[in-house]
Structures are given as structure tokens and as C-alpha cells.
Amino acid sequence: MENTATMTTLNLVPPGRRCVIRKIEVRGALRRRLLDMGMAPGADVEVIRVAPLGDPIEIKIKGFLLSIRKEDAVFIHVEMDLHHAQDEKPDKR
Amino acid sequence: MRRMKNRTNGDTAADRTDHALVVAIAGNPNAGKTTLFNALTGARQHVGNWPGVTVEKKEGLLEHNGRSLTIVDLPGTYSLTAYSMEEVIARDYIVNERPDVVVNIVDASNLERNLYMTVQLLEMGAPVILALNMIDAAEAAGLRIDHEQLGALLGVPVVPMVARTGKGRVELLDEVLKRPPAANIRVPYGHDIEAAIDRIIRAMQKDNPAAALPLDTRVTAIKLLENDSVVEKNVRNTYSENILTIRDRHCEKIEQTHGDDAETLIVDRRYGYISGLMREVVARPPLDKRTVTDRIDAVLTDRALGLPIFFFAVWATFHLTFTLGSPPMHWLDALFGWLGGLVSSTLPDSLLRSVIVDAVIGGVGGVIVFLPNILLLFFAIALLEDTGYMARAAFIMDRVMHRLGLHGKSFIPLLIGFGCSVPAIMATRTLENNKDRIVTILVTPLMSCGARLPVYTLLAGAFFAPAAAGNVIFSIYLIGILFAAFLARLYRAKLLKGDQTPFVMELPPYRLPTLKSVLMHCWERAWLYLKKAGTVILGIAIILWALMTFPMNFPGREKMETEIARAQTRAEKLGETDPRRARLLDRVDELDHEMASQQLLHSYAGRTGRALEPILKPIGFNWKTGIALIAGFAAKEVIVSTMGTIYSIGEEDTGSGKLKRALRRDPIFRPLTAYVLMLFVLLTVPCMATLAAIRRETNSWTWPAFSLAYHTVLAWTVCFVVYQGGRLIGL
């Protein structure tokens, strides 16, 4: 079974999935804020849930919970494992 | 930033045993900083301004083992690189004011991120003690932290604590008295960054060897590579442009080589350093452990349940405030009434008595009567904040707030605004983006405050059937909210255009707060409300009293006085049981009130009301309402009592049906006018105390002036449309 990773942006990661930050494609205040909160390349992130009204999203990083808007999360490039322990299906072949 | 003291280089002044040691508390928000501060200083604190996330500094006093300590609570920050005012203030204080000790409070259950700030503090060479707070939460999560090893590796004393319960307090203070040395760590930033740092340091030394920067050269160089705006400015003022050019060159090179900018690399290396520390010092269980917080959140922020639960929480807050607050409110009202009566009967009839009874007791009392409601509201909000639920509320509401051009965090000040605008405006300090802040401040007064409620109750009660009155009042609140939403959007889009702050907000773990901490948070805000009463309102009440009392003479006064005197003497000559006596005394009362009314009409206030009549008529008011509204400009609570005076109702009777009946008898008053008046009170300029708060929080005269202008235009225009429209359709 291949263990391919997929590159995407944080706002597209579905709840319950883990990913690793690869790059922050924005400058200025948002970048600094993200970095200060530990959202730096190499950090592990778990997307916990989406708010009842659809935005923002709640993630877990370095052991604490963070709330971030999808429009800001779009700048965070992450690498997500395609095969996730929870949705492994039995091999049909 | 105001300098607190003029401190010279070196801190030998504190070596003298009679000089108080200055201890600054720094750390992340939600790490328990304020709890620690309160636990250390108790009642002996100068809470000069608004608590919560303060931009102003909080100071307190403490004595330990015979030594005096001055504790300063710095704003909570995640970093010491200049990003917002909080970071700059915290850093400036540590670097410029040179406190004797810096207690860095960290959340042990969240150590990795908390250490990010610690590392920067240590790099700066501050004399740090690490307060490892919330170790109970860490232990509950299965973390085992070797605090001694942590201290050895960082070269600072580490004190495990549970600030909430006081555990570790004594040990911390003992360490404080021992005066920790200046920290000295060196984070390895990797070859390229270190080369850049080196190059910049050498360039600075060559360019201006005698320069004295607040931060040492290495830290300055690091901050330059991080594009710290404040350090950049300092460097620009102290050195030639050459330094910054060198910095820029190196940054470009680094970006080309590594694919990411120097700032990111520096952050990465810091966290790498911290990771290394964590490995040596923390034994943790598998990360998958679902904490209690996660389980609670699964319900409270659930897609389906989250919103209903939230609305329930808000509803419960207000319900609690109004129902539990009613009995004490009536009790206080009676108390002030009795006090007024007492003074009236003991002091001879004079100006002094009038000032005391009408201005002081009447005016100030009117504000204090609301204290139970306000206290309960603040208690509920403090409870929600301390448990951690408020962050969830901001999380849930952000989408709506964002559409309005606001911020999830704007929600809390707006909620507080239903109690009183003054603490609400101060609560906007949690908003990092200045534009978000100003817009929130501008629309907060549209959250109809508690002081306007008596006006609504009076008018709705007088002109609408009991069943409808409640709905009428609710519609007023709703209209306020709708206008706030509309104007927030408008202002943010047209007036205060600009970058929205990233809504990157920590959701702290749920905590069971101590009653003590909740009460303290609650009291801090209530105290502000009381201060407002004691100062601004008292002052305004007296000014207003003067405007309404002088000039004392009016045509026909002598005639009335004679008639009163005659009726009085005749009544006294009659027997106690003679029915004519009672009638005469009633007549005396009537004449007294009539005199008060006439005197008011001819006073300066009355003349102003008359002068304003041309603009009041198109919205259905007359000069009488004008006077009441002028009074309301000072403080909304005063409107009802002023109307009482205008309609010749005694101070004691405004609660009863008398004023309502008097209003109904006034020909200009009909249900439409009453509603329009309620609208006017909702939309008009907020009270003086609120404008003063706006001035303080925005640090300029522009915004209070703008507030005054827009509220006046808004109130008049809306009332004009509603009144004229209402007349047209025959209301």
C-alpha cells in the first residue's frame, strides 16, 4: 500500500485529520501571529472541528487549541497523509 | 508609553533593604498571570484602569519576610517581537524600566508554546524566575515535568505552582527575594542566521561604537532579522542606513537559500530549541489522549448543539441579571428614597438641601440603584470568561461578527454594553486591531444600556397595554442591535477601511474557576461603574441641578409663595381631623410642585429646551421633553426623574402611576410620540461618562466628537422618519 502524502491548504483539511505545516504563504501581521502561536513549518496540526456557522476552524497544535478563520488558513500549506488510520478500509484485492 | 519611574542605569537602588523590589509578571494570556497577580497582591492593588487584557499596567504591593515588593502585571503576550501594543509595552517595560525580577508565568499543561516567550525573555538577559503554573492540570493530563532539570538547562529558578489555590506562592516569593541573576542563554540559529547576526553586530559596532540601545547587540540583530518594527526604528535613529542594508542583503540571501524568510527560520530554530528542552524535561503520554476539555467542547461547540447552547447561555445571563437583580434594586431605591426624605426633613429648606437631595442623592442614587443588576451581569460574564467558555462564544459568533466587519472578540464588549457602556468600551482592549476596536467602540452605545430601561418602562407602561409593553421594549432593543450591525458594517467598510486582524485565537482549556477569582474580576468592573457614578455623574448632576434651579426667580413666583404660605397657615389653624385641613395640605403640595415646574420652565435648562423647540417639533417633542433629553445627555438615568420634575410630580412619586398619568394628560403625548421618544433615547448621544470612556480608550477627541455627531444625526433622522411617517398613516 502506498503511503502518499498530499499537499493542500489548512482550510481544506477535513475535521479529524492530521497534517504537517510546510509553508506559510503570507506576509505581515498574519504571518507573525501564526509563527508566534507555533504555526511554523514542521509543526503537527490536527483539525478538530468547524464552528457551527461554518467558520472558523478549530485546530490542535503543540498541545493547545487554536481558532483560525478559513480565509487565513488558506495561506497555510500543509502536507496531509492520504492514508489515515481511522479510515483504512479492508483491502478488497 | 508613560515612564513609571525615572530609573537610572543599574539597579543598585534596590539593594538598599528599605527600597521596594520591583517584580514584573510576564507570560502568555491564559497562563494564569492575573490570577497570580491577584493572589500576590490581594486588595492592595492599583487597578487604575480596565482589567482583563490590559494595556495599562496594574500595580500592587506586597510584603514578604520583611521586604517590600511592588508587583507589576504586564500585558499577556505570546512573543516579545513587536506585533501589537501588548508586546511593545511588555518588552519596553522589561528593557527600559529594568524591574528587579521578572516572573515568567507559564502554563505547564501547554509548555511548548509558552516557552516560546520564555526563550525570548531569557535571550534578552532579564532576571527571570519561571513560575510553572497549573501543574495540577499538567498532572491531570498525564504530564510529568522535571522542573529542576528545566531550571538547570535554562539557568533560571523554576517554581512549580498552582496560582489558583496559592500552592507555590511562598516558594516563588522566596526565590524573588533571592534575586535571580540576569538570564544568559544562546539559541543556536544555524549557520546562515548566525553569520547574518555576526555581520550586523560588527557593522553596528563599527558604525557607532558608543551607541546605547535598550536591547543588547545580539538581540537587536536578531530582532532586525525578524523585521521588528520598533527595533528597526531605533536602529534607524542610532545608526546609518548601512546597517539595515546589510540586514536586507542577508535576508534576501537566506530566503534564496532556504526558501523561507529569516523570520520563519528564527522561529523554527527557537521551537527546535524548545523541542530539545521538552524532550529532556517532559515525560508525556501518547498525544491522542482526549482531554476533558475536548470532551466538553465536543458538546458545546458541536455543529448542531453549539448555537442553541450559546443562545441559552446568553439568555440565562440576562434572565439572571434581571430577575435576581430586581429585589435588591427595589430595596436600594427605597433606601435612597428614605435617605432623601431624611435629609429633607432634617435640613431647613435651602439651596444646600436641594443640592444634596436632588443632585447628590437623586442623581447618584439613580445610578447606584442599578448596581445589583450590573454586578450580576458582570458576575455572569466573569464566570463565563474564567471557565474558558467566552473563547468558545467568540469562536461560535465569529462568522457573524466577521460579516459585520467586526471580530469574534467584539462580541463580549457588545454583550457588556447591555449593562453599561463604560466597562463595555474598556473591554474592547482585547481587540488587537485598532480599527476593529474603534468600530466596536462606536456601535457599543447602540446596545441599549441598563440606564435607559427606566425610560422605556415608563413610556411603554404609560402608553401601551401591559401585554404589548414588553414587546415594545424588546423591539427597541432589537432595533438597536440592527442599527449596530448595519453601522458596524458601514464604518468598517467606508470609514475605517483596512486590514482585518487575523482571527487567530487560543481556546484555553476549560477550568473550574475559584469563587474568589470570579468575584475579583466582577468587582473590578463594578468598581469602574461606581467610580463613574461618584465622579462624572455626581459632577454632571450638580451642574444640571444648577441649570435647572437658576435663575430662581420667575414671574408669578411671589404670588405663588404667598398663596402657599397662606394655605399652610390656614391648614395649621384647623384641627387635625378636620377634612379641610387635609384638602389644604394637598393644595400646598400641589402648589409646591407647580412652583417647581414653573421654576424649571424659567430656568436655564428650560430656556434651552425652548430654544431647541424648532428642531424638536418635527419629531413630535416639545421643550419639556427637550429638558429631559438635555438631562439625559449627562446620564440616561436622570431622564425619568427630570420628567418627574417637569410634570410637577414629586421626586418620591416618579415610580408610581402619577408620572404615567401626567404624561398621558399632556396633549402632545400619544403612543406614537412615546415610541419615538424611546427610539430617540436609544439612538441619541450616549451619556457623558461614555463619551469620556471613548476619549480615554481611543486617545483622541476625534472619536467622541464623531460619536456625538453621528448619534445626533441618526437619532433625529430616524425619529423624524418614524414620527412623520406615523402621522401620515394616521397613528
Side-chain angles (χ1 to χ4, degrees), chain A residues 18 23 27 30-33 36 38 41 46 49 53 56 60 62 64-69 71-72, chain B residues 78 110 113 226 255 259 261 263-264 271 288 290 294 298 395 398-399 402 432 502-503 505 507:
Chain A
R18 284 219 171 87
K23 202 159 162 63
R27 300 272 145 164
L30 176 57
R31 182 196 193 81
R32 172 147 292 139
R33 186 65 161 149
D36 282 348
E46 181 189 344
R49 64 170 54 83
L53 292 175
K60 199 168 205 174
K62 294 201 187 331
F64 70 97
L65 297 168
L66 201 64
S67 158
I68 179 169
R69 285 182 186 146
E71 69 187 36
D72 296 325
Chain B
Y78 292 106
N110 205 340
R113 199 212 58 231
E226 284 185 271
E255 198 152 349
D261 65 356
E263 190 182 351
T264 311
Y271 273 115
D288 272 342
R290 278 274 162 258
D294 292 332
F395 176 67
D398 182 63
R399 179 139 199 213
H402 191 36
E432 289 143 8
F503 182 74
M505 179 188 75
L507 292 159

Side-chain angles (χ1 to χ4, degrees), chain B residues 46-260:
Chain B
H46 306 297
V47 184
N49 285 287
W50 191 246
V53 177
T54 55
V55 171
E56 302 289 3
K57 299 155 201 159
K58 274 176 17 180
E59 264 187 75
L61 294 170
L62 170 67
E63 269 188 30
H64 185 69
N65 293 352
R67 221 34 220 285
S68 296
L69 301 170
T70 304
I71 319 277
V72 179
D73 186 18
L74 298 179
T77 60
Y78 292 106
S79 154
L80 286 176
T81 311
Y83 159 69
S84 69
M85 276 211 291
E86 272 88 13
E87 273 99 24
V88 177
I89 288 173
R91 187 172 77 190
D92 271 359
Y93 184 75
I94 294 169
V95 155
N96 294 330
E97 305 294 337
R98 296 188 174 280
D100 302 300
V101 180
V102 175
V103 171
N104 177 211
I105 186 162
V106 299
D107 177 358
S109 63
N110 205 340
L111 200 53
E112 195 169 355
R113 199 212 58 231
N114 273 255
L115 286 177
Y116 185 72
M117 176 164 172
T118 309
V119 163
Q120 293 182 62
L121 260 178
L122 299 180
E123 260 184 336
M124 272 165 43
V128 173
I129 297 174
L130 205 63
L132 196 60
N133 196 21
M134 299 175 182
I135 44 159
D136 53 345
E139 272 160 29
L143 298 170
R144 294 275 170 273
I145 303 175
D146 185 351
H147 68 271
E148 276 161 16
Q149 174 72 325
L150 180 62
L153 289 171
L154 290 175
V156 295
V158 176
V159 180
M161 298 194 65
V162 181
R164 222 176 58 244
T165 60
K167 175 172 171 195
R169 183 180 170 276
V170 175
E171 291 83 344
L172 178 66
L173 289 170
D174 287 340
E175 286 295 338
V176 167
L177 289 185
K178 284 196 227 152
R179 301 284 303 277
N184 187 13
I185 62 160
R186 202 185 159 94
V187 176
Y189 286 109
H191 180 265
D192 291 329
I193 304 258
E194 290 292 345
I197 292 173
D198 209 47
R199 186 72 188 80
I200 294 176
I201 291 178
R202 274 187 288 136
M204 289 199 296
Q205 281 167 347
K206 203 168 111 183
D207 189 281
N208 189 349
L213 285 170
L215 296 167
D216 79 23
T217 37
R218 180 178 163 84
V219 179
T220 305
I222 295 172
K223 291 288 176 238
L224 275 183
L225 290 168
E226 284 185 271
N227 292 313
D228 184 306
S229 52
V230 172
V231 172
E232 243 182 62
K233 204 173 74 174
N234 282 340
V235 166
R236 199 168 264 131
N237 290 338
T238 322
Y239 300 95
S240 69
E241 269 303 300
N242 187 34
I243 310 293
L244 293 170
T245 322
I246 294 177
R247 187 273 307 263
D248 291 336
R249 235 188 325 129
H250 276 270
C251 278
E252 256 182 65
K253 217 174 75 177
I254 288 171
E255 198 152 349
Q256 277 166 13
T257 325
H258 293 264
D260 240 330

Side-chain angles (χ1 to χ4, degrees), chain B residues 12 27 38 143 176 242 270 272 426 501 510 547 566 709 711-712:
Chain B
T12 50
N38 290 337
L143 298 170
V176 167
N242 187 34
R270 276 193 193 126
M426 288 167 149
T501 337
Y510 285 109
L547 284 176
R566 257 193 292 148
H711 276 286
T712 312

Side-chain angles (χ1 to χ4, degrees), chain B residues 150-422:
Chain B
L150 180 62
L153 289 171
L154 290 175
V156 295
V158 176
V159 180
M161 298 194 65
V162 181
R164 222 176 58 244
T165 60
K167 175 172 171 195
R169 183 180 170 276
V170 175
E171 291 83 344
L172 178 66
L173 289 170
D174 287 340
E175 286 295 338
V176 167
L177 289 185
K178 284 196 227 152
R179 301 284 303 277
N184 187 13
I185 62 160
R186 202 185 159 94
V187 176
Y189 286 109
H191 180 265
D192 291 329
I193 304 258
E194 290 292 345
I197 292 173
D198 209 47
R199 186 72 188 80
I200 294 176
I201 291 178
R202 274 187 288 136
M204 289 199 296
Q205 281 167 347
K206 203 168 111 183
D207 189 281
N208 189 349
L213 285 170
L215 296 167
D216 79 23
T217 37
R218 180 178 163 84
V219 179
T220 305
I222 295 172
K223 291 288 176 238
L224 275 183
L225 290 168
E226 284 185 271
N227 292 313
D228 184 306
S229 52
V230 172
V231 172
E232 243 182 62
K233 204 173 74 174
N234 282 340
V235 166
R236 199 168 264 131
N237 290 338
T238 322
Y239 300 95
S240 69
E241 269 303 300
N242 187 34
I243 310 293
L244 293 170
T245 322
I246 294 177
R247 187 273 307 263
D248 291 336
R249 235 188 325 129
H250 276 270
C251 278
E252 256 182 65
K253 217 174 75 177
I254 288 171
E255 198 152 349
Q256 277 166 13
T257 325
H258 293 264
D260 240 330
D261 65 356
E263 190 182 351
T264 311
L265 272 160
I266 289 174
V267 170
D268 179 67
R269 295 292 146 79
R270 276 193 193 126
Y271 273 115
Y273 179 80
I274 292 170
S275 266
L277 272 177
M278 297 285 288
R279 269 195 300 271
E280 304 252 357
V281 154
V282 179
R284 57 151 56 105
L287 279 168
D288 272 342
K289 187 166 188 253
R290 278 274 162 258
T291 59
V292 175
T293 298
D294 292 332
R295 276 185 264 143
I296 298 179
D297 265 343
V299 176
L300 292 186
T301 50
D302 177 65
R303 283 207 90 146
L305 292 175
L307 267 177
I309 293 180
F310 170 72
F311 285 130
F312 173 73
V314 174
W315 173 85
T317 302
F318 284 107
H319 191 70
L320 179 90
T321 305
F322 286 125
T323 42
L324 276 187
S326 268
M329 219 176 99
H330 290 306
W331 185 83
L332 274 174
D333 203 19
L335 175 71
F336 279 104
W338 169 83
L339 200 62
L342 182 69
V343 174
S344 289
S345 45
T346 31
L347 286 184
D349 189 3
S350 60
L351 276 181
L352 179 68
R353 184 178 88 171
S354 178
V355 169
I356 294 180
V357 174
D358 296 330
V360 181
I361 296 178
V364 177
V367 173
I368 304 214
V369 151
F370 277 98
L371 194 62
N373 282 339
I374 302 275
L375 268 176
L376 281 168
L377 179 66
F378 291 156
F379 180 81
I381 289 174
L383 191 65
L384 291 174
E385 280 175 327
D386 285 3
T387 48
Y389 183 69
M390 270 306 186
R392 274 76 186 172
F395 176 67
I396 293 171
M397 289 307 284
D398 182 63
R399 179 139 199 213
V400 173
M401 294 284 129
H402 191 36
R403 282 279 185 76
L404 299 177
L406 292 174
H407 198 269
K409 287 190 196 168
S410 299
F411 173 72
I412 295 152
L414 293 175
L415 192 65
I416 298 179
F418 283 111
C420 178
S421 294
V422 176

